[in-house]
Amino acid sequence: MNLWPFGEPRAAEASRKPANAVEYRCEGGKQFYVRNLDAGTVWLIAPDREIRLEKLPGATAAYGAGKVRLELTGQSATLFDPPAQFLGCKRAQAKS
């Protein structure tokens, strides 16, 4: 007998993907998210922090802030966040 009136007793796990963000999965099981803000900026959502990155002068798809650098190429990305490096990152497939 179940007296809990709100559906299943165990709540379904909510998606951990931030809204309007692209997930990148990298070597070593690492991952991060990128959200486009406007023409010259992106919002990086890394495991340990979130940071706004500005488009780097003369770069087509490279963004940075301080020592942090994000390079986007098609379906791939590379993130340098010293001392960490996120290499071999691929855009995750969207779930239907």
Side-chain angles (χ1 to χ4, degrees), residues 17-92:
K17 179 183 175 213
N20 302 319
V22 175
E23 177 183 7
Y24 287 91
R25 295 184 185 156
C26 311
E27 295 173 358
K30 297 178 181 180
Q31 71 181 36
F32 62 89
Y33 300 91
V34 176
R35 179 183 299 146
N36 289 318
L37 296 179
D38 56 39
T41 60
V42 296
W43 191 253
L44 172 66
I45 304 160
D48 61 342
R49 64 183 168 153
E50 297 183 19
I51 185 171
R52 178 186 172 117
L53 303 177
E54 302 288 331
K55 187 172 248 181
L56 297 174
T60 306
Y63 301 85
K67 294 182 181 182
V68 178
R69 181 179 173 99
L70 173 66
E71 299 172 358
L72 302 173
T73 54
Q75 298 294 311
S76 302
T78 304
L79 174 61
F80 300 99
D81 186 5
Q85 293 184 3
F86 292 69
L87 305 173
C89 304
K90 302 289 182 200
R91 190 176 183 147

